[in-house]
Amino acid sequence: MNNNDMMEKEEIFSKVLRAGRRTYFFDVRSTKADDYYLTITESKKFTNDDGSFHYKKHKIYIYKEDFNEFRDILAEMTDYIIDEKGDEVISERHQKDFKKEYDNEDISSTNGELHKPTESFTDIEFDDI
């Protein structure tokens, strides 16, 4: 197998979701037996003190035999969160400063910061699970 074959196998089907400082890559990949599986990679951008930046990546692998259960649990969890809290983002920043921001009509300026509260979850090493 030459390099071109290898590259084609990597590019079976991909989607990208950009979410603030995080980017999620969904990639269909091929096993040696030429079956398909899914990888989901979270890439998070960190800014260094000198202004340059680096990325931290976490990848999970999902195989066909787990698709149904994975999909069911993901749907159950996301539905639970929406049912409990709605789909509007509630951030610590919004709660602490809500009255002040509302008075200044400056709520939109925090849009870039909406992903802050989830930072505590990024320490999970998916490879360790």
Side-chain angles (χ1 to χ4, degrees):
M1 186 183 320
N2 64 31
N3 278 345
N4 285 343
D5 291 337
M6 206 60 165
M7 289 305 289
E8 284 176 25
K9 281 208 180 315
E10 291 295 310
E11 301 288 327
I12 296 164
F13 185 50
S14 297
K15 289 263 184 174
V16 178
L17 169 62
R18 299 190 200 293
R21 293 192 308 161
R22 288 179 181 77
T23 303
Y24 297 96
F25 299 92
F26 297 81
D27 295 293
V28 174
R29 299 186 182 275
S30 179
T31 64
K32 287 184 177 139
D34 206 29
D35 202 357
Y36 290 167
Y37 64 97
L38 172 67
T39 63
I40 302 175
T41 307
E42 177 202 51
S43 177
K44 186 174 177 193
K45 184 177 181 179
F46 290 88
T47 305
N48 302 320
D49 292 337
D50 63 3
S52 64
F53 45 82
H54 66 281
Y55 296 89
K56 283 190 180 171
K57 292 187 176 182
H58 300 290
K59 183 177 288 195
I60 60 171
Y61 296 77
I62 306 161
Y63 297 94
K64 287 197 312 195
E65 60 267 28
D66 303 317
F67 282 176
N68 285 335
E69 198 171 3
F70 186 90
R71 188 183 304 144
D72 290 347
I73 292 173
L74 181 62
E76 182 182 352
M77 292 296 170
T78 54
D79 288 348
Y80 175 82
I81 291 170
I82 300 300
D83 289 346
E84 292 290 315
K85 297 295 180 184
D87 57 5
E88 186 179 333
V89 175
I90 304 168
S91 72
E92 290 171 25
R93 173 183 291 267
H94 274 149
Q95 287 182 317
K96 283 181 200 149
D97 303 331
F98 186 72
K99 192 147 180 54
K100 185 179 71 177
E101 288 180 9
Y102 186 74
D103 290 342
N104 295 340
E105 293 187 357
D106 196 24
I107 294 170
S108 62
S109 70
T110 60
N111 281 349
E113 303 297 319
L114 288 180
H115 299 281
K116 287 275 190 227
T118 54
E119 275 183 19
S120 57
F121 294 107
T122 59
D123 296 333
I124 298 168
E125 287 287 342
F126 287 111
D127 295 344
D128 294 344
I129 294 175

